[in-house]
Amino acid sequence: MSSNQPPVDPNLLAWISNEYHDANGSRFETLDHPPSPLEFSRLVHISRPVLIKGFIPPALSRWTDDYLVDRMGKRPVSVAITPNGQADAVTTSPDGSQYFVEPLVEQMTMEELLDCIGQGSSGSRRDEVLYLQSQNGNLYTNSYFEGGVSADCEFETLRPDVPAEVPWCSDALDKPPDAVNLWIGDGRSVTSVHCDPYENIYTVVRGAKHFTIFPPTDSVWMLERSYRHATYVRSITADLELIPSLDTPQVRWASISNSEIEGAAPTNTHPIRITVRAGETLYLPVGWWHHVKQARDVTIALNWWYDAETQGLNWIGLSLLRNLENNDHSEESE
Amino acid sequence: MSSNQPPVDPNLLAWISNEYHDANGSRFETLDHPPSPLEFSRLVHISRPVLIKGFIPPALSRWTDDYLVDRMGKRPVSVAITPNGQADAVTTSPDGSQYFVEPLVEQMTMEELLDCIGQGSSGSRRDEVLYLQSQNGNLYTNSYFEGGVSADCEFETLRPDVPAEVPWCSDALDKPPDAVNLWIGDGRSVTSVHCDPYENIYTVVRGAKHFTIFPPTDSVWMLERSYRHATYVRSITADLELIPSLDTPQVRWASISNSEIEGAAPTNTHPIRITVRAGETLYLPVGWWHHVKQARDVTIALNWWYDAETQGLNWIGLSLLRNLENNDHSEESE
């Protein structure tokens, strides 16, 4: 790769942001049934969000609380715990500094998790927010698709309910997903705005997800900064404490806040708000910024991440829009 | 559309040109048989050139000189005539000024045309160069596909030999072509380097076409300039005379010369040389610069132009690489 990438003039980035919006608007297509592989390939080329109905994994009809508890039994499940529902987000520590903070991860049973989340939760940790969001391919990882020995999978007993691949997407992209994830949370959890180097197929199984998304051309308004890394740790008094990491590199993350996005979105941005309900699937193209809230009650979702195409112009364009080195796309999250 | 597009820093354009080449190289794919619509859709997304074998319109086996003369009879055919084989090219006039010059167009029969071109030509106009390159959809225009009344078509009698659509391309792009053209010339005609706002499917029927192509990221090295417009006109003495146009707007055209491209390509560019022989088809993606020479003997080719996708990022990216307003892509030529 070449080095010494010249920075892109912010005036040019602002112009591109407006030009893209003038040409493409804020509309998104809704399909009443899943696309054919060819139709989906065309949609990937355009790289605009699409709400897709009628893609119904078996989980949709099966996943009652009783079913999930029964299938999972005593198996431990890794759950993200924060005091405020903001896992993987920029947070101000008690000393006034800002950090990119990762959640405490604790293991519990599915029954314990479901007892602690949702409107009617009566668990013992009501002041903490739980979110199953391990996002490491907790259902299927690429080693599964490569036929290698699969790493331990916490949710192996739920696999019969979730297809390893989205057939129309795998056929369109000519590859299996890189990771398939299960997400379980409630209205107290928020995913802070970020983008991923993946084509993302996001299906809601129960509840609803409220996406606020921004095109890659709005990258300039996301004000990405480098933040020191920290993690929530359980203190001796059992409280959650934000502990700066010693050796973890800084994390590049958008600096616009959740409250900015949940209210009127920041000036100059071009947000599209899409609610994805049970039985609906969002195609979220590579490089699109997204902030995600959930319905108050338990929300369960699945997502399939497919590696984005790195040949051609688009990948370099996405990097330039973020003033990013070509191979330096930030880590994923939802 | 927004206005006041800020110019893109030439250092940034130079960086993009190298970065694109580092990431994509100068390789091109060769397919032994035509792609399926889905395969072609993926290729369009990557937007790299592909040499395709096995797409064989009936013209391939039918178009001998005798057949063409017989089918066309006395029907007039519009032929571009220049003193030097450079139709639609920047040319220095006798007064030393540079113009973008369009050819004289004269009508003749197919027999007269074929008599005047090729290695063994013995026609009366050996010091002039003839090239059938009307490129106005001389076989099929979009009015044909829209079912309207078709304009007069000089080559109507040859239509049974040329499919109106390339099936795998029309299916992939979900639209018919915008124009289908017939090209007949010889080694004396050259098409000067330029790019088109079309996805281009280019099939050689007889002879060979020598393409030198450059990715859109090399636009910065093409040194586009605005040139005054001129046309070749037949003077009273029957010579070809370059006459500046009075009311025609200036034409934006690359200023690197044919001789530069035919020798070692200009410094910093990343040329790919592809020879397309009879029975072979080149997929030349939107925005790729191309310089085209032909085999010495008669070369006959067909091309299908499909409107490029203007939704999404790619179209804006192509405009920016040329420091061009979004809706100002220059006119087509081969």
Side-chain angles (χ1 to χ4, degrees), chain B residues 142-162:
Chain B
N142 55 1
S143 69
Y144 172 89
F145 298 105
E146 284 162 5
V149 179
S150 201
D152 284 348
C153 168
E154 291 184 343
F155 302 98
E156 192 144 16
T157 56
L158 298 180
R159 281 184 172 170
D161 308 328
V162 180

Side-chain angles (χ1 to χ4, degrees), chain B residues 32-248:
Chain B
D32 285 334
H33 50 77
S36 71
L38 176 55
E39 287 165 343
F40 190 64
S41 175
R42 292 183 201 129
L43 293 170
V44 169
H45 185 46
I46 294 172
S47 209
R48 302 264 316 162
V50 183
L51 186 64
I52 298 162
K53 300 183 180 183
F55 174 61
I56 311 291
L60 258 289
S61 56
R62 294 181 189 164
W63 284 6
T64 61
D65 281 5
D66 285 348
Y67 178 96
L68 291 170
V69 168
D70 180 61
R71 278 296 174 109
M72 291 297 295
K74 296 293 172 204
R75 286 177 186 77
V77 168
S78 299
V79 176
I81 304 179
T82 58
N84 54 9
Q86 301 195 27
D88 304 328
V90 173
T91 305
T92 303
S93 80
D95 71 8
S97 305
Q98 286 197 308
Y99 292 90
F100 175 83
V101 185
E102 291 198 53
L104 169 69
V105 176
E106 286 186 343
Q107 297 197 310
M108 59 189 73
T109 63
M110 180 63 81
E111 185 168 18
E112 288 169 319
L113 170 65
L114 292 172
D115 274 352
C116 289
I117 60 172
Q119 216 167 356
S121 75
S122 56
S124 56
R125 296 198 193 98
R126 293 199 58 173
D127 53 340
E128 294 180 356
V129 181
L130 275 56
Y131 191 16
L132 193 169
Q133 56 124 41
S134 38
Q135 65 195 268
N136 55 354
N138 57 24
L139 277 164
Y140 303 95
T141 64
N142 55 1
S143 69
Y144 172 89
F145 298 105
E146 284 162 5
V149 179
S150 201
D152 284 348
C153 168
E154 291 184 343
F155 302 98
E156 192 144 16
T157 56
L158 298 180
R159 281 184 172 170
D161 308 328
V162 180
E165 306 192 40
V166 179
W168 37 272
C169 186
S170 292
D171 283 359
L173 304 180
D174 200 22
K175 57 189 159 199
D178 186 63
V180 184
N181 293 300
L182 167 65
W183 310 76
I184 303 180
D186 63 24
R188 291 172 294 178
S189 285
V190 171
T191 301
S192 68
V193 70
H194 69 283
C195 65
D196 301 311
Y198 292 112
E199 305 288 358
N200 195 348
I201 305 293
Y202 204 105
T203 299
V204 173
V205 173
R206 197 201 301 182
K209 291 261 184 182
H210 307 292
F211 284 82
T212 305
I213 66 176
F214 305 86
T217 44
D218 273 2
S219 296
V220 60
W221 314 120
M222 297 297 147
L223 309 174
E224 288 184 271
R225 305 268 181 274
S226 286
Y227 292 96
R228 282 179 288 168
H229 185 273
T231 310
Y232 285 114
V233 173
R234 198 169 289 291
S235 71
I236 299 168
T237 58
D239 291 330
L240 290 178
E241 208 172 336
L242 187 157
I243 302 294
S245 310
L246 292 178
D247 298 325
T248 311

Side-chain angles (χ1 to χ4, degrees), chain A residues 145-304:
Chain A
F145 298 105
E146 285 162 5
V149 178
S150 201
D152 285 349
C153 168
E154 291 184 343
F155 303 99
E156 192 144 15
T157 57
L158 298 180
R159 279 183 173 171
D161 307 328
V162 180
E165 306 191 40
V166 179
W168 37 272
C169 185
S170 292
D171 282 359
L173 304 181
D174 200 22
K175 57 188 159 199
D178 187 61
V180 184
N181 293 301
L182 167 65
W183 310 75
I184 303 181
D186 64 24
R188 291 172 295 178
S189 284
V190 171
T191 301
S192 69
V193 70
H194 70 284
C195 65
D196 300 311
Y198 292 113
E199 305 288 358
N200 195 349
I201 305 295
Y202 204 104
T203 298
V204 173
V205 172
R206 198 201 300 183
K209 292 260 183 182
H210 306 293
F211 285 82
T212 305
I213 67 176
F214 305 85
T217 43
D218 274 1
S219 296
V220 61
W221 313 120
M222 296 297 145
L223 309 175
E224 289 184 272
R225 304 269 182 272
S226 286
Y227 292 96
R228 280 180 290 167
H229 185 273
T231 311
Y232 285 115
V233 172
R234 197 168 291 290
S235 72
I236 298 169
T237 60
D239 291 331
L240 289 178
E241 209 172 334
L242 187 156
I243 303 295
S245 310
L246 293 178
D247 298 325
T248 311
Q250 294 207 331
V251 175
R252 186 180 155 113
W253 208 254
S255 64
I256 62 172
S257 69
N258 292 330
S259 58
E260 278 179 283
I261 292 174
E262 289 171 28
T267 316
N268 296 323
T269 63
H270 303 94
I272 305 177
R273 296 181 197 275
I274 306 179
T275 292
V276 187
R277 300 177 198 285
E280 295 179 338
T281 296
L282 177 65
Y283 164 49
L284 185 66
V286 56
W288 280 69
W289 297 87
H290 47 295
H291 168 272
V292 193
K293 287 177 66 178
Q294 298 165 95
R296 272 185 75 194
D297 217 344
V298 175
T299 290
I300 303 178
L302 302 166
N303 95 294
W304 289 259

